[in-house]
Amino acid sequence: MAKVAWTAGIEYVSGALCKCGQKGQHTHAKMLLATHRRAATTNPDCNRLYLRNELNIQKSFSTDAVWARQRFQSVAAMVRQRSRDLLKISQDQMNFIAQRNNPYGKKTMKSYYWYICGQEWDAQHPQG
């Protein structure tokens, strides 16, 4: 992975810049992939460039990677549910406002939801 700064006038590029070739005289096993993060964040570095090969594309996932994916899916569902729960919204907003000016406080409501739901999930599912 590399951080990318495109030339003036190009805001971002997203997609495969060079795909793996399978036919003809220019057969190669590498792929150049550019991505642009669209999710809300406070980090200004949102362009990335990846060089992938066949081994990277067809690999199996470690148990840590599987656990991280399961955690992400579960916490995302918890965030979605909690942000729509009318019984918790007003209390969550008060708690968010109380913590946002702290040195390590979350600056957006969505990041606050991810933080509290992540802590809740971690307490229920300790990684063994």
Side-chain angles (χ1 to χ4, degrees), residues 36-119:
H36 176 74
R37 183 183 60 233
R38 294 189 175 110
T41 182
T42 57
N43 187 347
D45 298 325
C46 55
N47 293 314
R48 297 279 191 264
L49 197 60
Y50 299 91
L51 181 61
R52 315 264 330 246
N53 58 29
E54 290 178 2
L55 297 175
N56 292 24
I57 295 171
Q58 299 173 356
K59 73 175 192 175
S60 61
F61 295 105
S62 68
T63 55
D64 287 341
V66 171
W67 181 86
R69 284 174 178 235
Q70 289 173 345
R71 181 187 187 276
F72 182 85
Q73 285 180 328
S74 300
V75 173
M78 291 170 69
V79 167
R80 219 174 8 262
Q81 182 181 8
R82 186 169 183 132
S83 65
R84 295 174 183 165
D85 188 353
L86 297 177
L87 299 175
K88 294 182 180 178
I89 286 178
S90 59
Q91 185 63 43
D92 285 343
Q93 288 174 341
M94 287 190 293
N95 293 341
F96 166 70
I97 290 169
Q99 64 84 45
R100 76 175 167 194
N101 292 324
N102 293 342
Y104 297 106
K106 300 301 175 189
K107 304 301 179 198
T108 65
M109 191 68 180
K110 184 175 265 189
S111 66
Y112 176 72
Y113 276 135
W114 273 92
Y115 176 72
I116 59 175
C117 291
Q119 283 185 327

Side-chain angles (χ1 to χ4, degrees), residues 118-126:
Q119 283 185 327
E120 186 179 314
W121 193 88
D122 289 341
Q124 295 171 359
H125 304 88

